Amino acid sequence: MTTYVWDYRAEYEAERLDLLDAVETVFNSGQLVLGASVRGFETEFAAYHGAGYCVGVDNGTNAIKLGLQALGVGPGDEVITVSNTAAPTVVAIDGTGATPVFVDVRADDFLMDTSQVAAAITERTKCLLPVHLYGQCVDMAPLKELADQHGLSILEDCAQAHGARQGDTIAGTTGEVAAFSFYPTKVLGAYGDGGATITSDESVAKRLQRLRYYGMDERYYTLETPAHNSRLDEMQAEILRRKLGRLDTYLAGRWAVAQRYEEGLAGTGLELPRTVPGNSHVYYVYVVRHPRRDDIIERLKAYDIQLNISYPWPVHTMTGFAHLGYAAGSLPVTEALATEIFSLPMYPSLSEDLQDKVIHAVREVLASL
Ligand SMILES: *Cc1c(COP(=O)(O)O)cnc(C)c1O
């Protein structure tokens, strides 16, 4: 039987009655779009972060896109981010008409190298977009300082970092806006698509509410374009409300899995994830690194263990982003990583038996190299 890199079915089995009750609650509610469940989830998700407002949207990509638009980002503007991210980060920037500008990542933790940001700022720069990649926060203090100095806004891509912390600060509360995805694999996942933005700026929140709803206000009157239909679905919102109450339990489950890998894979020569001091890592994915990555993956095929690569292609090397003009070699750390990283199975309900199977297989393969 295949061991999957992510599998929600054991969790569903455990939560089935509650989740089916969530569906039943919405079906009986009499309001199937933007009703009590979306409002309830928004209130509770904002409160979890100590943020003023949450605006639910249809997915994480649109959370970023609408978040940028609510901050006034559009054609002619530049947004500084990383190429070592999921493509949707950059698709969302591109979708506003703004130009993504990349800095490289650090070789030890694969996060935005904030020391490169100052040199990337031009008079067209409008926003800094750090990605809290794999589940831990980018160093926010230097970004905040630069943003204040240059009058820029910050949008945090928190699609992989629900509940992650940097010191006492929870991911998503340093910038003006944070964008979350509830794609099923995420640390807080729906049973389908979903996303949200949080902010403590009332006028930005109001703008987000309009942007997801044809640009309209309460009067059914469109105030601004370009606008969207990007509503969070009522049923996903009710499921997310139930699961938000268990988020801290999911995080504990992920920490236990990470701890077991750390002990089981010590001394094998495989480079394990490094947590930056002061960060609390939520391990959305468990990314390891080895110069013979491709040989390892090939040999692991015999053990029927599914592995992922997050991500095999740096965004700036993709055909769809060739127009940005980044030549091969322009982001050397990002490009080197893409050939050496892979992800081991990671989800809170991963059983110890299955995990031990993975650890045993990886140890055997590494010893055989
Ligand atoms: C998943 C993800 C997104 C996009 O979220 P969707 O809900 O799939 O649109 C954006 N950024 C990052 C870093 C992600 O991991």
Side-chain angles (χ1 to χ4, degrees):
M1 208 178 66
T2 308
T3 304
Y4 292 100
V5 73
W6 176 79
D7 192 339
Y8 69 93
R9 287 171 298 182
E11 187 180 285
Y12 177 58
E13 196 49 42
E15 301 182 357
R16 189 169 164 272
L17 293 179
D18 185 46
L19 296 172
L20 293 181
D21 181 66
V23 174
E24 183 89 22
T25 299
V26 172
F27 284 13
N28 279 322
S29 72
Q31 190 173 358
L32 298 173
V33 174
L34 292 187
S37 295
V38 167
R39 282 195 303 275
F41 174 70
E42 288 175 340
T43 303
E44 291 154 18
F45 197 65
Y48 183 86
H49 291 88
Y53 307 89
C54 167
V55 179
V57 294
D58 51 351
N59 57 61
T61 309
N62 285 337
I64 299 169
K65 183 174 165 185
L66 272 60
L68 288 170
Q69 289 178 327
L71 291 169
V73 173
D77 297 330
E78 292 176 353
V79 176
I80 299 175
T81 191
V82 287
S83 173
N84 187 42
T85 182
T89 308
V90 188
V91 167
I93 298 170
D94 188 67
T96 68
T99 303
V101 172
F102 300 122
V103 295
D104 213 344
V105 293
R106 306 194 290 203
D108 50 358
D109 54 28
F110 317 159
L111 297 169
M112 176 184 261
D113 185 346
T114 56
S115 74
Q116 298 187 11
V117 172
I121 294 174
T122 72
E123 60 210 20
R124 286 160 40 137
T125 306
K126 193 86 173 241
C127 183
L128 308 180
L129 201 164
V131 181
H132 302 317
L133 197 71
Y134 307 150
Q136 70 170 328
C137 292
V138 170
D139 204 359
M140 291 304 288
L143 288 186
K144 182 83 182 119
E145 200 177 309
L146 281 172
D148 290 347
Q149 234 168 51
H150 295 267
L152 310 173
S153 49
I154 296 178
L155 184 145
E156 296 177 65
D157 183 342
C158 292
Q160 306 191 355
H162 314 69
R165 284 171 192 274
Q166 184 157 80
D168 296 331
T169 305
I170 189 161
T173 56
T174 303
E176 279 69 28
V177 175
F180 292 84
S181 165
F182 306 120
Y183 183 76
T185 64
K186 307 290 183 179
V187 175
L188 180 60
Y191 276 70
D193 278 309
T197 50
I198 59 171
T199 181
S200 287
D201 182 324
E202 188 187 358
S203 68
V204 171
K206 284 240 150 68
R207 204 145 179 225
L208 278 161
Q209 281 163 353
R210 293 196 294 268
L211 285 169
R212 73 167 172 191
Y213 190 60
Y214 324 130
M216 283 178 174
D217 64 13
E218 319 64 53
R219 299 169 299 159
Y220 218 64
Y221 179 96
T222 294
L223 278 171
E224 56 189 321
T225 56
H228 313 269
N229 173 4
S230 284
R231 299 178 294 242
L232 175 60
D233 183 75
E234 191 70 1
M235 191 174 67
Q236 298 303 343
E238 186 60 32
I239 288 170
L240 286 165
R241 279 181 91 174
R242 310 295 177 101
K243 292 190 68 177
L244 179 59
R246 297 188 279 269
L247 176 54
D248 291 343
T249 312
Y250 300 145
L251 298 185
R254 288 178 182 274
W255 290 328
V257 172
Q259 179 83 33
R260 202 174 181 82
Y261 275 138
E262 206 162 297
E263 286 157 14
L265 295 173
T268 57
L270 195 64
E271 191 183 316
L272 305 181
R274 185 179 159 279
T275 302
V276 179
N279 272 359
S280 159
H281 197 316
V282 296
Y283 298 103
Y284 165 57
V285 281
Y286 194 85
V287 175
V288 296
R289 182 179 190 179
H290 197 283
R292 293 186 62 190
R293 191 263 317 268
D294 292 343
D295 293 335
I296 295 171
I297 288 184
E298 189 54 38
R299 290 182 202 201
L300 275 170
K301 281 188 181 149
Y303 297 84
D304 210 10
I305 296 167
Q306 187 195 25
L307 303 163
N308 259 359
I309 300 175
S310 300
Y311 296 92
W313 307 103
V315 177
H316 71 280
T317 68
M318 295 176 177
T319 305
F321 292 106
H323 62 279
L324 297 176
Y326 287 83
S330 55
L331 298 166
V333 180
T334 296
E335 290 168 38
L337 276 182
T339 66
E340 296 187 349
I341 54 172
F342 63 106
S343 313
L344 301 180
M346 167 57 86
Y347 49 94
S349 59
L350 178 64
S351 72
E352 291 190 350
D353 279 358
L354 278 183
Q355 197 185 357
D356 287 344
K357 191 180 116 183
V358 174
I359 290 170
H360 172 77
V362 171
R363 292 194 73 94
E364 251 182 28
V365 163
L366 283 160
S368 77
L369 284 179

